[in-house]
Amino acid sequence: MELFRLLLLAVLASEPAAAGGAETVGNSSEGLLEFSVGKFRYLELQKPFPEEAILRHISSNVTFLIFQIHSQYQNTTVSFSETLLPNASGTGTDKGLVFILRPEQSICTWHLETSDPEPVQNMAIPLSYSESDPIPGGCNLEFDLDIDSNIYLEYNFFETTIKFAPANLGHARGTDAPPCDVKTGQDSRWRLQYDVYQYFLPENDLTEEALLRHLQRMAEVPQVQANAVKSLLDKRRVSTKVFFTLFALLGLFICFFGHRFWKTELFFIGFIFMGFFFYILITRLTPIKYDVRLVLTAVAGSVGGIFLVAAWWRFGILVLCMLCIGLVLGFLVSSVTFFTPLGNLKIFRDDSVFWVTFSCIAILIPVVFMGCLRILNILSCGFIGSYSVVLAADSYLYTSLSYITLNVLKRVLHTDFRRAFINVPFQTNDFIILAVWGMLAVSGITLQIRRERGQPFFPPHPYKLWKRERERRVTNILDPSYHVPPLRERLYGRLAQIKELFQKEQPAGERTPLLL
């Protein structure tokens, strides 16, 4: 019963051609249940008495229909014919059938029945769509129906999984449907986007009447948009835009000037290190909202960056700092490797095989370049800094390149993600952003290699320089800083100056009395 407390519906089509929403009991003639487009109807089904539903006077500009039927917990079967066929019928509490109309067709019928011994209360509605509307489930390859517009929910204690067949582009009556997987351009089904909306039922009201009444608010696209809340499943919210925009600005600076500004680069790498692991930790252990998690991740990342800079300033262990930088570059290279079709190999569905291989690739990068640390550092600046621009671009427009790292993050957060097929088509945005990423990386690497030619490989140890400078100032009496008073005396002098500001000014003149 808890499933009824949350309704998740994917909007797969644009606005239907006919508006509706009013309830009606309809008319029955010749043993048929009369329906009207966009009108809800309540009906009762009994096991030995199947019913036939009919929709008359279908407009010529309607190209396909969706017939929905809902009940609370008892199953109902809806079919195109009296003989139940797996590819032309469906059984469940919430089922829908898509009917593609033939030329000149103005009447459509469905057959309704139930196998439950008790009478089943149902609510049904036919909806009409034009040739400009996408066909939900039109590219179905995994479910029984030829065209399956239904949504299938799987849920456990941690998450709810929504499954549905991809939609196809609409087409006119009497014409063939566009092919589903021949091409992936903007003139194919790949241009369709899917939005997920959620609608909560009232608390403590699990009655059949309440369920069917509230289902009416989620039957058509305009009603869904008016009554439900769009689930923010992507990265495209204000907090995400702010976070990744600032991150990209810092990444651009690192891309072109990271090796010269060594401490800034260390802050950038420490931010990535700490922020990534902290986000995983609080996501898996706490139910904190996304915006709060993002703010806490930014704070934790800043702490990590400051810590890495402080560690370099005090201890000056170059190998340790370069190991962190090399591991971040190795993480990106390993993520790119598994973003290719190699990541869809069946062997990598096993978590142990995946993570061992992923870790080996990530560790291999700093090991290979350990003999030429400056080259490793410049390569890291170019590739990592420029990839931050890709993540920022995904905050404003869709790009598959953001899933290079997001797929790894999802696999860490969700144990069932190993079963997901992560192959995505490359579209125009992806090619443009890939070209920008490559251009920035090559430009940043080339500029830094040319500028650092003849310069010291890395800056000296900051703490040793500071200590040497302090000793020089103490022993060199010719240094003006040698004659600077101690801190305590300087503070007392400042306090005395502040006191003088509040003292009354003494009048000038002779005050000693004259002796006559």
Side-chain angles (χ1 to χ4, degrees):
M1 298 299 292
E2 291 297 325
L3 179 60
F4 291 123
R5 303 192 62 81
L6 176 63
L7 301 178
L8 291 168
L9 294 178
V11 179
L12 303 182
S14 59
E15 294 187 8
E23 299 179 18
T24 180
V25 295
N27 298 318
S28 295
S29 61
E30 303 175 358
L32 301 178
L33 297 175
E34 294 276 357
F35 281 87
S36 300
V37 172
K39 303 295 183 181
F40 291 95
R41 173 168 181 174
Y42 288 90
L43 59 132
E44 181 180 278
L45 293 177
Q46 298 183 14
K47 181 177 181 179
F49 305 107
E51 299 282 356
E52 186 174 5
I54 185 169
L55 177 66
R56 306 177 189 271
H57 310 297
I58 302 174
S59 176
S60 59
N61 62 352
V62 175
T63 58
F64 70 96
L65 300 168
I66 297 181
F67 184 83
Q68 299 183 21
I69 187 165
H70 305 275
S71 60
Q72 185 177 25
Y73 60 88
Q74 297 167 282
N75 288 334
T76 300
T77 299
V78 56
S79 173
F80 289 130
S81 61
E82 294 184 10
T83 303
L84 300 183
L85 301 175
N87 62 342
S89 63
T91 302
T93 56
D94 301 279
K95 279 296 175 181
L97 289 183
V98 176
F99 191 90
I100 306 297
L101 295 172
R102 301 184 301 273
E104 308 300 329
Q105 182 178 0
S106 61
I107 297 177
C108 186
T109 59
W110 297 271
H111 296 267
L112 312 175
E113 64 179 65
T114 181
S115 58
D116 199 287
E118 298 294 329
V120 181
Q121 297 294 329
N122 292 275
M123 179 187 68
I125 180 175
L127 300 174
S128 63
Y129 297 86
S130 66
E131 63 180 277
S132 61
D133 295 320
I135 303 176
C139 289
N140 173 44
L141 292 177
E142 65 175 306
F143 304 113
D144 292 334
L145 290 171
D146 291 336
I147 301 177
D148 197 335
S149 62
N150 296 282
I151 297 173
Y152 300 90
L153 300 181
E154 294 180 1
Y155 63 98
N156 53 35
F157 185 76
F158 298 100
E159 62 186 0
T160 300
T161 303
I162 305 173
K163 294 183 179 181
F164 59 89
N168 197 3
L169 299 179
H171 56 91
R173 289 197 193 187
T175 61
D176 295 332
C180 289
D181 296 315
V182 175
K183 51 185 178 180
T184 59
Q186 289 298 306
D187 58 340
S188 68
R189 72 173 179 92
W190 292 100
R191 78 181 187 210
L192 300 176
Q193 296 183 355
Y194 303 89
D195 294 329
V196 178
Y197 287 77
Q198 62 181 1
Y199 179 81
F200 289 92
L201 295 176
E203 289 185 298
N204 303 321
D205 189 355
L206 300 180
T207 61
E208 182 179 69
E209 179 184 0
L211 172 65
L212 298 181
R213 184 175 68 253
H214 287 279
L215 276 174
Q216 296 182 21
R217 301 183 180 181
M218 299 290 287
E220 301 178 77
V221 174
Q223 294 175 328
V224 170
Q225 294 174 335
N227 297 300
V229 177
K230 185 177 180 180
S231 296
L232 298 175
L233 301 180
D234 53 8
K235 302 175 77 248
R236 294 174 184 86
R237 57 176 79 184
V238 175
S239 58
T240 305
K241 291 180 180 179
V242 172
F243 179 89
F244 282 105
T245 300
L246 296 177
F247 184 71
L249 292 176
L250 180 58
L252 272 179
F253 182 84
I254 297 301
C255 179
F256 291 96
F257 308 102
H259 188 75
R260 176 68 59 88
F261 295 88
W262 171 245
K263 294 177 184 177
T264 306
E265 181 192 353
L266 289 180
F267 176 85
F268 181 69
I269 296 299
F271 183 94
I272 295 174
F273 239 102
M274 182 63 74
F276 183 80
F277 288 108
F278 183 81
Y279 183 85
I280 294 173
L281 185 66
I282 62 174
T283 301
R284 299 199 67 162
L285 299 181
T286 66
I288 300 176
K289 292 183 179 179
Y290 173 79
D291 292 336
V292 179
R293 270 182 293 166
L294 207 58
V295 173
L296 293 177
T297 300
V299 173
S302 300
V303 172
I306 294 173
F307 177 80
L308 188 58
V309 173
W312 159 253
W313 189 91
R314 179 60 183 84
F315 303 105
I317 305 177
L318 180 62
V319 176
L320 177 62
C321 295
M322 287 307 304
L323 179 62
C324 295
I325 295 173
L327 287 176
V328 175
L329 178 61
F331 174 86
L332 182 58
V333 172
S334 187
S335 300
V336 172
T337 303
F338 282 96
F339 184 71
T340 64
L342 178 68
N344 286 315
L345 294 180
K346 188 175 181 179
I347 188 174
F348 293 119
R349 294 183 182 179
D350 184 272
D351 280 336
S352 58
V353 176
F354 174 84
W355 289 117
V356 169
T357 309
F358 186 92
S359 301
C360 289
I361 297 175
I363 295 174
L364 183 64
I365 298 300
V367 171
V368 170
F369 288 94
M370 196 53 68
C372 43
L373 295 180
R374 183 166 70 170
I375 296 299
L376 173 61
N377 189 52
I378 293 177
L379 290 176
S380 301
C381 291
F383 283 111
I384 299 172
S386 57
Y387 184 71
S388 65
V389 178
V390 175
L391 295 177
D394 188 62
S395 302
Y396 297 91
L397 51 93
Y398 174 80
T399 171
S400 300
L401 295 177
S402 63
Y403 290 95
I404 290 175
T405 52
L406 289 181
N407 284 339
V408 180
L409 180 62
K410 290 179 180 180
R411 184 146 190 174
V412 175
L413 296 176
H414 304 286
T415 55
D416 291 335
F417 191 76
R418 65 180 182 271
R419 299 182 300 176
F421 184 72
I422 58 176
N423 189 25
V424 292
F426 258 48
Q427 300 178 345
T428 304
N429 289 343
D430 301 311
F431 287 109
I432 294 175
I433 295 177
L434 180 62
V436 172
W437 182 17
M439 180 189 65
L440 290 175
V442 172
S443 301
I445 293 171
T446 304
L447 178 64
Q448 294 196 69
I449 290 178
R450 293 175 63 91
R451 187 176 58 238
E452 299 301 323
R453 189 175 299 165
Q455 299 295 326
F457 279 15
F458 288 93
H461 186 188
Y463 179 73
K464 289 183 179 179
L465 287 180
W466 175 81
K467 192 174 182 180
R468 188 185 310 154
E469 183 69 14
R470 187 185 64 174
E471 293 175 353
R472 183 186 66 82
R473 289 181 177 180
V474 170
T475 57
N476 186 8
I477 62 174
L478 297 180
D479 192 334
S481 61
Y482 178 85
H483 305 283
V484 175
L487 178 61
R488 181 179 297 178
E489 295 183 10
R490 294 202 302 269
L491 291 177
Y492 284 146
R494 292 289 184 183
L495 290 175
Q497 291 178 2
I498 294 174
K499 281 184 178 181
E500 291 177 359
L501 295 176
F502 297 96
Q503 291 179 353
K504 292 184 178 180
E505 185 178 356
Q506 297 295 331
E510 186 76 33
R511 284 187 174 273
T512 304
L514 296 176
L515 297 177
L516 298 176

